[in-house]
Amino acid sequence: MAVACLAGCGTSDEPAAEPEPASATIRFEHALDPDAPMYIEGAEYHVTVTQGDETVAEREIESEGTVTVDLPAGAYTLGSYARVCSGNCGNLEPPTDRCSTEAELKGDAASTASIVARPGGCTIKVD
């Protein structure tokens, strides 16, 4: 007795779907160096996440604040910079006080990037 094979039998020419990469979370914690001078009119602070030449995330962050970014697990460059207010914060200077560090963000895990900013630069430590 012959058995008929309807839809779904045999092999498919379509490649198997790639699994979604595991997601990672990076929490930026930003603080001003308490021993450094402050900008008179203030500044806006930003954090960035790049992979190769591509910026995959950029967020404004409070001078004493936090921001969280979710992205696929992988190797990234985490950065920070300031835009100093010129007269008032409606007029911003070009980015300055930059710093960055390399980080391998693991899937299904959260990491923290602690930033300490001061005029002339900043530091980033990743846990």
Side-chain angles (χ1 to χ4, degrees):
M1 168 181 221
V3 176
C5 183
L6 301 175
C9 294
T11 61
S12 170
D13 291 336
E14 294 182 31
E18 291 289 323
E20 289 290 320
S23 65
T25 299
I26 183 70
R27 175 185 163 102
F28 290 94
E29 295 180 345
H30 193 276
L32 298 177
D33 182 340
D35 297 324
M38 296 180 63
Y39 291 111
I40 294 170
E41 284 104 11
E44 284 186 2
Y45 296 93
H46 297 259
V47 293
T48 60
V49 180
T50 57
Q51 195 169 44
D53 292 335
E54 181 183 358
T55 299
V56 295
E58 183 166 354
R59 306 281 192 281
E60 188 172 340
I61 190 168
E62 297 293 323
S63 59
E64 300 284 334
T66 62
V67 67
T68 301
V69 178
D70 295 316
L71 41 117
Y76 295 93
T77 301
L78 309 177
S80 177
Y81 66 89
R83 295 204 56 201
V84 178
C85 301
S86 180
N88 63 60
C89 287
N91 298 309
L92 297 173
E93 296 289 330
T96 189
D97 302 342
R98 293 179 181 271
C99 61
S100 64
T101 192
E102 304 296 316
E104 181 72 33
L105 303 181
K106 305 291 185 198
D108 300 324
S111 299
T112 301
S114 300
I115 302 164
V116 177
R118 70 190 61 73
C122 61
T123 59
I124 302 176
K125 289 184 186 176
V126 179
D127 71 355

